[in-house]
Amino acid sequence: NDYVVNYYFPPGLPHGSNTTAFRSKMLQSYEANLQALYNGGARTVIIVGIPPMGCLPYTQEFYNTTLESSGCVNYMNSEAEILNGQLK
């Protein structure tokens, strides 16, 4: 997952962009890759959204001080929901 590996980790380090800018870059990358697939002859493509990344065991381990009562990092889950909504 690009968010978990390239944006949120390692915890505590400043990131070069806010989540809106990072999400925009990811969506542009999706679009470019889908266009390349289409140009290569693909006509049926399934895009699977990202999971609630704040509930991933890896995330829970490294962000254990910011876990909500759900046992997850809710702001990460919210970001996944926003991205998934924009993928449609």
Side-chain angles (χ1 to χ4, degrees), residues 33-46:
N33 285 307
L34 287 170
Q35 187 64 52
L37 288 169
Y38 183 83
N39 292 343
R43 294 297 180 264
T44 303
V45 178
I46 297 172

Side-chain angles (χ1 to χ4, degrees), residues 40-57:
R43 294 297 180 264
T44 303
V45 178
I46 297 172
I47 299 175
V48 179
I50 61 175
M53 55 194 166
C55 295
L56 297 171

